[in-house]
Amino acid sequence: MSEGAWDFWIDRGGTFTDVVARRPDGTLATAKLLSDNPERYPDAALQAIRDFLGLGPADPIPAARVNRVKMGTTVATNALLERKGDPTVLVITRGLGDQLRIAYQNRPDLFVREIVLPEMLYSQVVEADERVRADGTVETPLDEAKLRAELQAAYDSGIRAAAVVFIHGYRHTAHEARAGEIARAIGFTQVSVSHLVSPLMKMVSRGDTTVVDAYLSPILRRYIDRVAGAFEGDAAGKLMFMQSSGGLTDARMFQGKDAILSGPAGGVVGCVRTSEIAGFDKIIGFDMGGTSTDVCHYAGEFERVFLTQVAGVRMRAPMMNIHTVAAGGGSILQFDGARMRVGPESAGANPGPAAYGRGGPLALTDANVMTGKLRPEFFPAIFGPSADQPLDVAATRAKFETLAAESGKSPEELADGFLKIAVENMANAIKKISVQQGHDVTEYCLTVFGGAGAQHACQIADTLGIETCLIHPMASLLSAYGMGLADIRANREQAVEALLDETSHRQAAADLDRLGASAVAEVERQGLAPDAIRTVRTVMLKVQGTDTALGVPFATVAEMQAGFAAAHRARFGFAPGGKPLVIEAVTAEAIGAAADISEATLALASRDEAEYETAL
């Protein structure tokens, strides 16, 4: 750590930007700013850094005064949800131009007669004359001249991002690599090639992941450049971003495909690390923010998914297994004359709930104000450290009284009813990642965080039968605090598709050695010593003839067979039988222990049960 330099851990959320700052003497300071507040600042994260350093709104940030900025951001997530990424051209094998749109033809809503296909992220399609068979035989050589002409036309139309996805390109890479070279030579500033982005089987998910990377990476790059541009001096190596997998990486290596759960992943890390320090190893994480609520399960290791769907887009990239529901402090309260509803629409940061005094609609925050759970005298200024604007209780009451006149209930009854609906929605979300997966939720600690989490913790615990809640002193900023507790991680993966036997085991070992060395080298480049890095090697196994792979630690053939059988029983409730197993892919993850925070042991709150019953 540089002498006299600050560290900043930031979660740039949809409603609030949370900041934990570590002063040069090691003490911590915090701030919570509205993410969207154009009247006061163009960017909340940069404004917080300037506030802590005593700088003006437009002053450059001296790089020498900052050790590292570790950030999670929703920039990529919002761009995906709102379809505001960069115009992208999809370069794909001729005859397969509609492959990503056709996809798997699955129907999640069986009885819906009008099928609305998700909007594609790419703007144009270039079908390249090329084809390589599964065994590597070149059926049609790449027509470079024709591809160059068609890519030039796309470039001339204003497109600067290209996604290259050829059939069997994950294994036979020469044509993809050459197409990428042609695109870069023409001038495309973002070229994502599938065998580098997602070197795995299944063309649809591999293709979608590559398109997402091309579509979002320029947005991320502009935001990173904007943050770096605010520094005076060399900011290289000072900016790190949280990946969806729960590991930090240098800003220069941050990719669009790894940014979808950037902010929530920091919350999972903070939740788990602080709970472990408090002595709990079975945890349900409950993160309630302004726009949504994220829940996660932990019982000894981070739970990740490698194939997921976000906003109608399939992706194959390691992500924290987080379940999200549209219930946050900003969730809008609605009553149509017969039914009360909470969300999914949100008041956001601007104008925010009615209590913000900016003409916003009634939201869940207002229900907590109306029932006395949010006390305005204890509520901090909500428009930044220099503002002086507490909650507007009068605005909240006026809107509830209007709604009460329509419903025939008192304002307090209405508010309490809305709160019960929200609690039930959030409890059901927890059941999806616990009870429905075979876990006894009553054995867990409910670790509560997010700005609105503590307001609902006990009601949710009572609903689920959980007896222990943990609310960390940094609970309302735990996603930001988690940035400081996170490790630096690099992940490498490769498709194998071979029957599990001694021969494929030796080949997998060689592949893992090579992948592990590459991942370790990436972490070392970010300033960690080799003895501070460990490698986790995982093999994705599946029963021959199926397409659902489960990850087991790399070991002997017999140990991996036993590990797969146990994982199969846990997931599906029955043994896989004696069928042959197939190695679908191998993964090596290098983990560098970058966190250097220690926490003091504090006394836990306690109460006299008899005294409590008397008080009731």
Side-chain angles (χ1 to χ4, degrees), residues 134-164:
D135 62 2
T137 303
V138 177
E139 181 177 306
T140 305
L142 177 65
D143 188 333
E144 295 187 13
K146 187 173 183 180
L147 176 60
R148 184 177 289 106
E150 293 182 340
L151 281 177
Q152 185 66 57
Y155 183 86
D156 293 342
S157 72
I159 297 177
R160 295 295 180 268
V164 181

mmCIF file of all heavy atoms in Angstrom, residues 134-164:
data_model
loop_
_atom_site.group_PDB
_atom_site.id
_atom_site.type_symbol
_atom_site.label_atom_id
_atom_site.label_comp_id
_atom_site.label_asym_id
_atom_site.label_seq_id
_atom_site.Cartn_x
_atom_site.Cartn_y
_atom_site.Cartn_z
ATOM 1 N N ALA A 134 -16.763 -31.307 -37.361
ATOM 2 C CA ALA A 134 -16.458 -31.564 -35.954
ATOM 3 C C ALA A 134 -15.107 -32.242 -35.770
ATOM 4 O O ALA A 134 -14.448 -32.064 -34.733
ATOM 5 C CB ALA A 134 -17.559 -32.420 -35.325
ATOM 6 N N ASP A 135 -14.673 -33.014 -36.787
ATOM 7 C CA ASP A 135 -13.388 -33.711 -36.667
ATOM 8 C C ASP A 135 -12.210 -32.858 -37.119
ATOM 9 O O ASP A 135 -11.071 -33.325 -37.160
ATOM 10 C CB ASP A 135 -13.410 -35.028 -37.440
ATOM 11 C CG ASP A 135 -13.626 -34.817 -38.944
ATOM 12 O OD1 ASP A 135 -13.718 -33.649 -39.385
ATOM 13 O OD2 ASP A 135 -13.686 -35.826 -39.674
ATOM 14 N N GLY A 136 -12.470 -31.598 -37.515
ATOM 15 C CA GLY A 136 -11.399 -30.703 -37.924
ATOM 16 C C GLY A 136 -11.182 -30.631 -39.416
ATOM 17 O O GLY A 136 -10.379 -29.817 -39.892
ATOM 18 N N THR A 137 -11.893 -31.440 -40.187
ATOM 19 C CA THR A 137 -11.758 -31.398 -41.641
ATOM 20 C C THR A 137 -12.337 -30.089 -42.184
ATOM 21 O O THR A 137 -13.466 -29.710 -41.839
ATOM 22 C CB THR A 137 -12.508 -32.576 -42.286
ATOM 23 O OG1 THR A 137 -12.008 -33.803 -41.753
ATOM 24 C CG2 THR A 137 -12.346 -32.561 -43.801
ATOM 25 N N VAL A 138 -11.581 -29.402 -43.014
ATOM 26 C CA VAL A 138 -12.052 -28.145 -43.603
ATOM 27 C C VAL A 138 -12.951 -28.478 -44.791
ATOM 28 O O VAL A 138 -12.482 -28.940 -45.839
ATOM 29 C CB VAL A 138 -10.878 -27.252 -44.043
ATOM 30 C CG1 VAL A 138 -11.408 -25.986 -44.724
ATOM 31 C CG2 VAL A 138 -10.004 -26.895 -42.850
ATOM 32 N N GLU A 139 -14.219 -28.260 -44.638
ATOM 33 C CA GLU A 139 -15.182 -28.529 -45.712
ATOM 34 C C GLU A 139 -15.221 -27.369 -46.694
ATOM 35 O O GLU A 139 -15.277 -27.569 -47.912
ATOM 36 C CB GLU A 139 -16.564 -28.762 -45.109
ATOM 37 C CG GLU A 139 -17.642 -29.073 -46.118
ATOM 38 C CD GLU A 139 -18.971 -29.373 -45.454
ATOM 39 O OE1 GLU A 139 -19.009 -30.261 -44.571
ATOM 40 O OE2 GLU A 139 -19.965 -28.705 -45.806
ATOM 41 N N THR A 140 -15.206 -26.129 -46.155
ATOM 42 C CA THR A 140 -15.208 -24.927 -46.986
ATOM 43 C C THR A 140 -14.166 -23.964 -46.446
ATOM 44 O O THR A 140 -14.292 -23.488 -45.309
ATOM 45 C CB THR A 140 -16.591 -24.236 -46.962
ATOM 46 O OG1 THR A 140 -17.600 -25.172 -47.359
ATOM 47 C CG2 THR A 140 -16.596 -23.022 -47.888
ATOM 48 N N PRO A 141 -13.112 -23.663 -47.200
ATOM 49 C CA PRO A 141 -12.109 -22.702 -46.723
ATOM 50 C C PRO A 141 -12.732 -21.315 -46.521
ATOM 51 O O PRO A 141 -13.726 -20.960 -47.165
ATOM 52 C CB PRO A 141 -11.071 -22.681 -47.851
ATOM 53 C CG PRO A 141 -11.319 -23.921 -48.639
ATOM 54 C CD PRO A 141 -12.778 -24.211 -48.518
ATOM 55 N N LEU A 142 -12.151 -20.537 -45.650
ATOM 56 C CA LEU A 142 -12.645 -19.188 -45.390
ATOM 57 C C LEU A 142 -12.380 -18.295 -46.601
ATOM 58 O O LEU A 142 -11.240 -18.160 -47.056
ATOM 59 C CB LEU A 142 -11.957 -18.609 -44.154
ATOM 60 C CG LEU A 142 -12.313 -17.164 -43.796
ATOM 61 C CD1 LEU A 142 -13.784 -17.053 -43.414
ATOM 62 C CD2 LEU A 142 -11.430 -16.668 -42.649
ATOM 63 N N ASP A 143 -13.452 -17.694 -47.121
ATOM 64 C CA ASP A 143 -13.333 -16.744 -48.236
ATOM 65 C C ASP A 143 -13.012 -15.378 -47.641
ATOM 66 O O ASP A 143 -13.904 -14.606 -47.284
ATOM 67 C CB ASP A 143 -14.635 -16.709 -49.033
ATOM 68 C CG ASP A 143 -14.515 -15.893 -50.323
ATOM 69 O OD1 ASP A 143 -13.667 -14.980 -50.366
ATOM 70 O OD2 ASP A 143 -15.290 -16.151 -51.268
ATOM 71 N N GLU A 144 -11.714 -15.076 -47.552
ATOM 72 C CA GLU A 144 -11.281 -13.868 -46.857
ATOM 73 C C GLU A 144 -11.683 -12.600 -47.606
ATOM 74 O O GLU A 144 -12.087 -11.605 -46.985
ATOM 75 C CB GLU A 144 -9.769 -13.899 -46.652
ATOM 76 C CG GLU A 144 -9.308 -15.015 -45.731
ATOM 77 C CD GLU A 144 -7.824 -14.912 -45.412
ATOM 78 O OE1 GLU A 144 -7.224 -13.845 -45.713
ATOM 79 O OE2 GLU A 144 -7.272 -15.878 -44.852
ATOM 80 N N ALA A 145 -11.588 -12.608 -48.917
ATOM 81 C CA ALA A 145 -11.910 -11.409 -49.680
ATOM 82 C C ALA A 145 -13.381 -11.015 -49.518
ATOM 83 O O ALA A 145 -13.715 -9.839 -49.318
ATOM 84 C CB ALA A 145 -11.578 -11.636 -51.161
ATOM 85 N N LYS A 146 -14.260 -12.007 -49.609
ATOM 86 C CA LYS A 146 -15.685 -11.718 -49.470
ATOM 87 C C LYS A 146 -16.011 -11.252 -48.052
ATOM 88 O O LYS A 146 -16.788 -10.315 -47.851
ATOM 89 C CB LYS A 146 -16.491 -12.969 -49.816
ATOM 90 C CG LYS A 146 -17.993 -12.723 -49.876
ATOM 91 C CD LYS A 146 -18.718 -13.957 -50.388
ATOM 92 C CE LYS A 146 -20.218 -13.696 -50.515
ATOM 93 N NZ LYS A 146 -20.938 -14.898 -51.015
ATOM 94 N N LEU A 147 -15.404 -11.901 -47.048
ATOM 95 C CA LEU A 147 -15.634 -11.506 -45.659
ATOM 96 C C LEU A 147 -15.148 -10.077 -45.424
ATOM 97 O O LEU A 147 -15.835 -9.281 -44.776
ATOM 98 C CB LEU A 147 -14.918 -12.474 -44.705
ATOM 99 C CG LEU A 147 -14.992 -12.119 -43.210
ATOM 100 C CD1 LEU A 147 -16.436 -12.091 -42.731
ATOM 101 C CD2 LEU A 147 -14.176 -13.099 -42.387
ATOM 102 N N ARG A 148 -13.978 -9.751 -45.989
ATOM 103 C CA ARG A 148 -13.438 -8.401 -45.801
ATOM 104 C C ARG A 148 -14.384 -7.350 -46.386
ATOM 105 O O ARG A 148 -14.633 -6.303 -45.784
ATOM 106 C CB ARG A 148 -12.056 -8.302 -46.433
ATOM 107 C CG ARG A 148 -11.364 -6.956 -46.198
ATOM 108 C CD ARG A 148 -9.974 -6.922 -46.788
ATOM 109 N NE ARG A 148 -9.045 -7.766 -46.031
ATOM 110 C CZ ARG A 148 -8.590 -8.930 -46.438
ATOM 111 N NH1 ARG A 148 -8.988 -9.426 -47.614
ATOM 112 N NH2 ARG A 148 -7.740 -9.632 -45.707
ATOM 113 N N ALA A 149 -14.936 -7.631 -47.554
ATOM 114 C CA ALA A 149 -15.845 -6.678 -48.197
ATOM 115 C C ALA A 149 -17.116 -6.480 -47.377
ATOM 116 O O ALA A 149 -17.593 -5.341 -47.192
ATOM 117 C CB ALA A 149 -16.186 -7.160 -49.609
ATOM 118 N N GLU A 150 -17.682 -7.572 -46.859
ATOM 119 C CA GLU A 150 -18.922 -7.461 -46.090
ATOM 120 C C GLU A 150 -18.685 -6.789 -44.744
ATOM 121 O O GLU A 150 -19.529 -6.017 -44.265
ATOM 122 C CB GLU A 150 -19.539 -8.848 -45.914
ATOM 123 C CG GLU A 150 -20.028 -9.443 -47.239
ATOM 124 C CD GLU A 150 -20.689 -10.800 -47.044
ATOM 125 O OE1 GLU A 150 -20.449 -11.453 -46.011
ATOM 126 O OE2 GLU A 150 -21.440 -11.208 -47.947
ATOM 127 N N LEU A 151 -17.542 -7.067 -44.113
ATOM 128 C CA LEU A 151 -17.223 -6.393 -42.855
ATOM 129 C C LEU A 151 -16.949 -4.910 -43.088
ATOM 130 O O LEU A 151 -17.299 -4.060 -42.256
ATOM 131 C CB LEU A 151 -16.019 -7.061 -42.190
ATOM 132 C CG LEU A 151 -16.290 -8.353 -41.429
ATOM 133 C CD1 LEU A 151 -14.988 -8.950 -40.893
ATOM 134 C CD2 LEU A 151 -17.257 -8.106 -40.271
ATOM 135 N N GLN A 152 -16.334 -4.582 -44.206
ATOM 136 C CA GLN A 152 -16.084 -3.174 -44.523
ATOM 137 C C GLN A 152 -17.409 -2.420 -44.674
ATOM 138 O O GLN A 152 -17.549 -1.274 -44.217
ATOM 139 C CB GLN A 152 -15.273 -3.056 -45.808
ATOM 140 C CG GLN A 152 -14.859 -1.623 -46.156
ATOM 141 C CD GLN A 152 -13.880 -1.043 -45.152
ATOM 142 O OE1 GLN A 152 -12.814 -1.603 -44.912
ATOM 143 N NE2 GLN A 152 -14.237 0.091 -44.546
ATOM 144 N N ALA A 153 -18.392 -3.070 -45.297
ATOM 145 C CA ALA A 153 -19.710 -2.440 -45.446
ATOM 146 C C ALA A 153 -20.356 -2.199 -44.089
ATOM 147 O O ALA A 153 -20.962 -1.144 -43.853
ATOM 148 C CB ALA A 153 -20.601 -3.319 -46.325
ATOM 149 N N ALA A 154 -20.224 -3.178 -43.179
ATOM 150 C CA ALA A 154 -20.771 -2.999 -41.830
ATOM 151 C C ALA A 154 -20.051 -1.870 -41.103
ATOM 152 O O ALA A 154 -20.676 -1.054 -40.411
ATOM 153 C CB ALA A 154 -20.649 -4.303 -41.041
ATOM 154 N N TYR A 155 -18.743 -1.797 -41.288
ATOM 155 C CA TYR A 155 -17.947 -0.734 -40.657
ATOM 156 C C TYR A 155 -18.360 0.629 -41.208
ATOM 157 O O TYR A 155 -18.529 1.596 -40.452
ATOM 158 C CB TYR A 155 -16.460 -0.984 -40.903
ATOM 159 C CG TYR A 155 -15.547 -0.001 -40.236
ATOM 160 C CD1 TYR A 155 -15.121 -0.175 -38.926
ATOM 161 C CD2 TYR A 155 -15.085 1.126 -40.927
ATOM 162 C CE1 TYR A 155 -14.275 0.739 -38.312
ATOM 163 C CE2 TYR A 155 -14.244 2.051 -40.328
ATOM 164 C CZ TYR A 155 -13.840 1.844 -39.018
ATOM 165 O OH TYR A 155 -13.017 2.754 -38.406
ATOM 166 N N ASP A 156 -18.541 0.715 -42.497
ATOM 167 C CA ASP A 156 -18.937 1.982 -43.125
ATOM 168 C C ASP A 156 -20.313 2.433 -42.670
ATOM 169 O O ASP A 156 -20.626 3.634 -42.719
ATOM 170 C CB ASP A 156 -18.911 1.840 -44.652
ATOM 171 C CG ASP A 156 -17.493 1.648 -45.196
ATOM 172 O OD1 ASP A 156 -16.534 1.962 -44.462
ATOM 173 O OD2 ASP A 156 -17.363 1.162 -46.346
ATOM 174 N N SER A 157 -21.163 1.490 -42.243
ATOM 175 C CA SER A 157 -22.495 1.861 -41.748
ATOM 176 C C SER A 157 -22.460 2.382 -40.320
ATOM 177 O O SER A 157 -23.486 2.796 -39.784
ATOM 178 C CB SER A 157 -23.437 0.654 -41.827
ATOM 179 O OG SER A 157 -23.103 -0.322 -40.840
ATOM 180 N N GLY A 158 -21.285 2.355 -39.684
ATOM 181 C CA GLY A 158 -21.144 2.919 -38.344
ATOM 182 C C GLY A 158 -20.935 1.913 -37.240
ATOM 183 O O GLY A 158 -20.757 2.286 -36.074
ATOM 184 N N ILE A 159 -20.944 0.629 -37.542
ATOM 185 C CA ILE A 159 -20.764 -0.405 -36.523
ATOM 186 C C ILE A 159 -19.274 -0.553 -36.201
ATOM 187 O O ILE A 159 -18.439 -0.606 -37.105
ATOM 188 C CB ILE A 159 -21.360 -1.742 -36.989
ATOM 189 C CG1 ILE A 159 -22.878 -1.602 -37.176
ATOM 190 C CG2 ILE A 159 -21.047 -2.860 -35.999
ATOM 191 C CD1 ILE A 159 -23.544 -2.845 -37.715
ATOM 192 N N ARG A 160 -18.964 -0.636 -34.906
ATOM 193 C CA ARG A 160 -17.566 -0.746 -34.487
ATOM 194 C C ARG A 160 -17.302 -1.980 -33.623
ATOM 195 O O ARG A 160 -16.174 -2.194 -33.188
ATOM 196 C CB ARG A 160 -17.148 0.505 -33.708
ATOM 197 C CG ARG A 160 -17.161 1.788 -34.534
ATOM 198 C CD ARG A 160 -16.120 1.737 -35.631
ATOM 199 N NE ARG A 160 -16.101 2.958 -36.449
ATOM 200 C CZ ARG A 160 -16.805 3.122 -37.561
ATOM 201 N NH1 ARG A 160 -17.586 2.142 -37.998
ATOM 202 N NH2 ARG A 160 -16.727 4.244 -38.252
ATOM 203 N N ALA A 161 -18.327 -2.789 -33.339
ATOM 204 C CA ALA A 161 -18.159 -3.994 -32.528
ATOM 205 C C ALA A 161 -18.531 -5.216 -33.361
ATOM 206 O O ALA A 161 -19.538 -5.204 -34.075
ATOM 207 C CB ALA A 161 -19.027 -3.937 -31.274
ATOM 208 N N ALA A 162 -17.703 -6.264 -33.274
ATOM 209 C CA ALA A 162 -17.940 -7.481 -34.049
ATOM 210 C C ALA A 162 -17.836 -8.699 -33.145
ATOM 211 O O ALA A 162 -16.956 -8.775 -32.286
ATOM 212 C CB ALA A 162 -16.934 -7.593 -35.196
ATOM 213 N N ALA A 163 -18.754 -9.650 -33.341
ATOM 214 C CA ALA A 163 -18.735 -10.933 -32.621
ATOM 215 C C ALA A 163 -18.568 -12.038 -33.655
ATOM 216 O O ALA A 163 -19.383 -12.160 -34.575
ATOM 217 C CB ALA A 163 -20.030 -11.126 -31.839
ATOM 218 N N VAL A 164 -17.512 -12.841 -33.516
ATOM 219 C CA VAL A 164 -17.199 -13.896 -34.480
ATOM 220 C C VAL A 164 -17.536 -15.250 -33.872
ATOM 221 O O VAL A 164 -16.969 -15.634 -32.841
ATOM 222 C CB VAL A 164 -15.714 -13.847 -34.895
ATOM 223 C CG1 VAL A 164 -15.423 -14.933 -35.920
ATOM 224 C CG2 VAL A 164 -15.351 -12.472 -35.441
#
